[in-house]
Each structure stands twice: as structure tokens, then as C-alpha cells.
Amino acid sequence: MVTDETRKSMSKSPPSLDQLPKLIPRRHPPPPSNPLPVPETPLLPPLPDKSKLSYSHPSRRILSPKDHTSFLQSPTYNLLVAFVFSLSESVRNIPVSEVKVENTSETVKTVLRVLDEVEAVVKDNPPEDQEGSRFGNKGFRNFLDALGPKHATWHRGLGITDAAAIEETSAYFLQSFGNRTRIDYGSGHELNFVVWLLCLYQVSLLPTSTFPSLVLHVFTRYLSLMRLIQSTYYLEPAGSHGVWGLDDYQFLPFLFGSSQLISHPFIRPLSIHQALVLEEYGKDYLYLGQVAFVNSVKNVDGLRWHSPMLDDISSAKNWTKVEGGMRRMFVKEVLGKLPVMQHFLFGSLVPAAAGMSREEDVGAPSEEQETEGGEVVVMRDGMKHVHQNNSWGDCCGIKVPSSIGAAQEMKKRMGGEGLRRVPFD
């Protein structure tokens, strides 16, 4: 039954649209911006006066958090950042195939021959039979011992004649293949190889004009050599974060490789999920080549399962974002981490800051005198603290087996079959 009140309300005119509340469309909140600015490339300082250099055997000087802070505020820190970022900028938008080996300098060609000879030493020193163990193979020590009588000749071939200069530069070279005691390898050893190139730059053997060749030919040759060494001797990852790390062993291929791809017309960060792109362009672009290698040595199929950080990075809008993130990671996760930098060596070409500790002052053994366990003594709050740096990049962790070793052993058992798929795929 319709009442009088209902008739009155129905006879009223509808409310004006202006009186209705304004509708605001729902939008996803923008992602939080990174508070850390993208590190810029410092200017490379003038080359040192060779007549005033007093060469010395490099030693560890970052033996406490205070030493690490001093390093981060030192000219040597700026030198390392400037050199690495200058290498990265030198290959911006340049594929490997664009720089021909025959057009490089004689010094670069000699460095490549040295790496070829190192590979021959690997083949002359096969791994020991460890009955299926996935941990570091002790045959790696035989390989390093075999480099001992050869490295001085190789450095003389590069044009370094002073015995003290050979001793200083070769220390970085010998430390760039992994740790003899722990039989492990990580971004700190990769950094040693770049510092070896920096030493050759400091003594005027590698001018800035060689930088593209150093990345696209020398560093890529070093990468292929390290993949052979890792698969031969099952080097354990130094400071591995498991699936939550960028890569068990390397970092710089992602920095250099993202710089190569910044203005690429069709390869996007998401393209790393396309097997055809990795196969077609992996040899020309370091980032893609490293992702392809990571895929090949894991025992499950799919980046989101074995490398979720790489999977997350692939959602970036463009390669400029990726390259900026890699710069942040280099200064924060490599140079900025005490467990990585406590093994860094300082000499006259890469000098320590004034006031940094010396190994003899705190009773710490040198890198070559480490015990079987691979412990490293650092000073914290005036007391000695022992780091067992073969695991999580902090300290005192358990040993982590080689992911490459695990994949190799699984393929042996499965007769060379492909990677297993996770059942949720």
C-alpha cells in the first residue's frame, strides 16, 4: 500500500549530480623509490709516478670494522669504483662482436694468451676422485701450485721486468681463481681479477682506450675460464646466500651486461625468460650469457625457483633501472661488505688508507697462511673474532656445496638428462 509520504518522496525531483560525492578511481600505489641514489662514476685519478713507487707484496689491511670504514672513505675506494664503472661505461650499447680481437692492443692479446695458458694448466691437473662429493675438489690445489712457477714468466711477457712489481701484481692474479685453502670462489676473487687489470693500468700497460676490449674479450675469456675451473674442481661458493643471492659466483657480468643493453631496441629485462633470446644473444651480451649459464648449472628448471632475485630484477621497466641497481649492489654488497673485503689485498698500486691495521699488528695470518678451516681473524671491539667465511657472507656458517657440482653429479647419475621441473609449474 502506497502511503502519502511515499507519494511525496516520489514526486520530488532527483538530486542534482553536483551534490553527489566525487568518485575517485582506485589506483595502485607507486612502488617505493630507492632511497639510495645511483652511484656516479668518479674521475680516474692520475697514474702514479712509477719512479716513486715502492712495490711490496700485497697484504690484508681490512681487519676490523674501523679498517673497513677507513677504506670506504679512502682514495683507493674511489679508484676502484672509478675503474670498474669506467669499464662498464666503455661497453655501453656495444655487443661483444662489435669489438674485434685483431684490432686490440698487443698487451690485451698477451693477456688473452696468458688466460689460454691457464686453461692448459687446468687440463694438465685433473680433479681427484671424490666418490660423488659435491664439495671442493682438492685437485684445485694442484692446479694453483702449478701456476706458481709460471706466473713470473707470464708477467715478464706483459712487459713487467721489476721482480718486486711482478710479485705485487701477480698476487692479485693468483688470487683471482679462488682460495686454495677453502677451495671456494666468489665476487671477492672476481674483484681480484679486475684489480689485476687495474694494476696493469696503473703501470701504463692498459690505457683507457683498451677498456672495451678488457670487458668484451679479456673479462669474457676469464668468465669462460672460471666456468671451466668451477665445473672441474667444484669450487664452493664463497659467501653464498643460496637462492636469495644474485649468483653463487659472479657479479660483474650483470653490471657490464646491463650497461651493454641499455638502449637495445627489443631485448628487455623480461627477455631473460626467453630461451631463444638467451641462445641467440648470449654470446654478445654478458648479462644474457650469465643467465644462460646459471640456468644450465641448476638442477631445477625456472629462474623463479633457483634464482628469484634475477626473476625479480627482470620486472624492471628498462635496462637503465637494472644497471643503476647493479651499481648500487657493487658499492653496497661487494665493496661495502666486510666479509668480502676482509680478504682484499693492498700494496703500492692499490694502497691502504693511513691508520689501517696490519696483519702482523693483530696476529692475523696472511691469506696464504690460512689454516685448513679457512677461518679469518678480525678485530671487533678490541677483541679477536673468528670469521668462518665459507658460507653466508656474515660469519661462522656451515659449508655450502657447489651448485655446479650438484648439477654435474646429478647429470652423471641421470645419464645426462635435462633439468627436472618443479611440480608446481
Side-chain angles (χ1 to χ4, degrees):
M1 181 177 178
V2 180
T3 63
D4 292 340
E5 290 183 3
T6 303
R7 289 193 187 93
K8 289 180 181 179
S9 63
M10 293 173 64
S11 64
K12 288 182 181 178
S13 59
S16 171
L17 293 178
D18 295 335
Q19 296 176 352
L20 295 176
K22 204 166 190 180
L23 296 178
I24 301 175
R26 291 182 179 179
R27 290 191 179 97
H28 291 293
S33 59
N34 195 318
L36 297 175
V38 176
E40 296 183 356
T41 305
L43 290 175
L44 280 165
L47 295 176
D49 186 346
K50 288 189 283 187
S51 64
K52 296 181 181 179
L53 285 173
S54 178
Y55 295 108
S56 60
H57 185 76
S59 61
R60 292 185 298 120
R61 302 290 299 275
I62 299 178
L63 302 171
S64 70
K66 181 181 177 183
D67 293 333
H68 190 218
T69 300
S70 298
F71 160 72
L72 294 175
Q73 299 169 351
S74 70
T76 294
Y77 170 82
N78 289 330
L79 171 65
L80 287 171
V81 173
F83 186 71
V84 171
F85 286 178
S86 294
L87 288 174
S88 182
E89 288 184 353
S90 74
V91 296
R92 183 159 292 178
N93 301 319
I94 301 177
V96 171
S97 58
E98 190 171 309
V99 178
K100 305 300 182 184
V101 176
E102 53 269 23
N103 297 332
T104 60
S105 71
E106 285 304 314
T107 304
V108 170
K109 292 175 183 175
T110 304
V111 171
L112 291 171
R113 285 194 293 271
V114 167
L115 296 178
D116 289 340
E117 294 192 41
V118 174
E119 180 171 328
V121 175
V122 175
K123 293 177 179 178
D124 290 339
N125 292 271
E128 297 180 1
D129 183 11
Q130 295 194 151
E131 299 180 352
S133 172
R134 300 172 298 161
F135 290 92
N137 191 291
K138 293 183 179 179
F140 176 67
R141 294 171 181 164
N142 299 330
F143 156 70
L144 289 182
D145 291 342
L147 294 181
K150 300 176 182 291
H151 68 84
T153 302
W154 293 337
H155 281 79
R156 282 192 289 270
L158 287 166
I160 304 176
T161 55
D162 186 288
I166 291 176
E167 181 181 2
E168 178 166 340
T169 54
S170 64
Y172 297 103
F173 175 77
L174 295 173
Q175 287 290 329
S176 65
F177 303 111
N179 182 270
R180 185 185 188 282
T181 303
R182 299 187 301 272
I183 315 182
D184 67 6
Y185 176 89
S187 55
H189 301 102
E190 178 188 63
L191 181 61
N192 274 322
F193 182 77
V194 173
V195 175
W196 178 60
L197 298 179
L198 172 59
C199 289
L200 299 181
Y201 165 80
Q202 290 281 75
V203 296
S204 304
L205 290 175
L206 293 173
T208 55
S209 60
T210 65
F211 281 13
S213 299
L214 292 184
V215 175
L216 301 179
H217 293 295
V218 172
F219 186 75
T220 54
R221 181 67 185 90
Y222 168 73
L223 269 183
S224 65
L225 174 62
M226 284 314 308
R227 289 167 185 169
L228 172 66
I229 292 173
Q230 290 157 11
S231 60
T232 301
Y233 302 114
Y234 294 1
L235 301 188
E236 297 166 20
S240 172
H241 281 71
V243 298
W244 300 113
L246 183 66
D247 184 277
D248 273 346
Y249 298 104
Q250 314 294 158
F251 172 78
L252 291 176
F254 299 104
L255 173 61
F256 298 155
S258 57
S259 180
Q260 285 183 284
L261 289 160
I262 278 181
S263 299
H264 199 280
F266 59 84
I267 297 178
R268 300 288 183 261
L270 271 174
S271 301
I272 66 171
H273 297 281
Q274 300 172 14
L276 189 60
V277 170
L278 298 181
E279 181 181 352
E280 185 77 15
Y281 298 98
K283 291 183 179 179
D284 252 349
Y285 296 97
L286 276 72
Y287 196 106
L288 304 181
Q290 189 64 24
V291 171
F293 178 72
V294 169
N295 282 336
S296 72
V297 299
K298 297 297 183 179
N299 55 14
V300 295
D301 190 16
L303 276 177
R304 62 175 173 154
W305 299 113
H306 61 68
S307 301
M309 180 177 283
L310 284 174
D311 183 54
D312 288 346
I313 293 171
S314 70
S315 64
K317 289 184 178 179
N318 51 55
W319 288 109
T320 301
K321 292 278 189 184
V322 176
E323 196 257 359
M326 293 302 164
R327 285 181 172 238
R328 291 188 186 98
M329 286 187 71
F330 178 71
V331 299
K332 185 177 180 182
E333 301 297 330
V334 179
L335 301 184
K337 291 294 186 182
L338 176 59
V340 175
M341 297 307 295
Q342 67 188 0
H343 298 283
F344 191 79
L345 302 175
F346 295 86
S348 65
L349 296 170
V350 185
M356 289 175 64
S357 304
R358 296 180 182 274
E359 291 170 338
E360 57 269 24
D361 294 339
V362 299
S366 67
E367 191 79 356
E368 295 86 357
Q369 295 172 327
E370 282 185 339
T371 58
E372 181 72 22
E375 294 88 356
V376 176
V377 178
V378 298
M379 299 299 293
R380 188 182 294 276
D381 298 327
M383 301 181 65
K384 288 184 180 180
H385 181 68
V386 179
H387 275 198
Q388 176 71 301
N389 189 40
N390 56 6
S391 168
W392 282 86
D394 37 36
C395 71
C396 312
I398 61 172
K399 287 163 71 69
V400 177
S402 164
S403 60
I404 294 178
Q408 294 280 83
E409 291 300 322
M410 187 190 75
K411 288 175 183 176
K412 287 178 185 178
R413 293 193 300 271
M414 297 175 63
E417 292 182 19
L419 301 179
R420 63 185 174 90
R421 296 190 66 84
V422 173
F424 308 111
D425 270 353

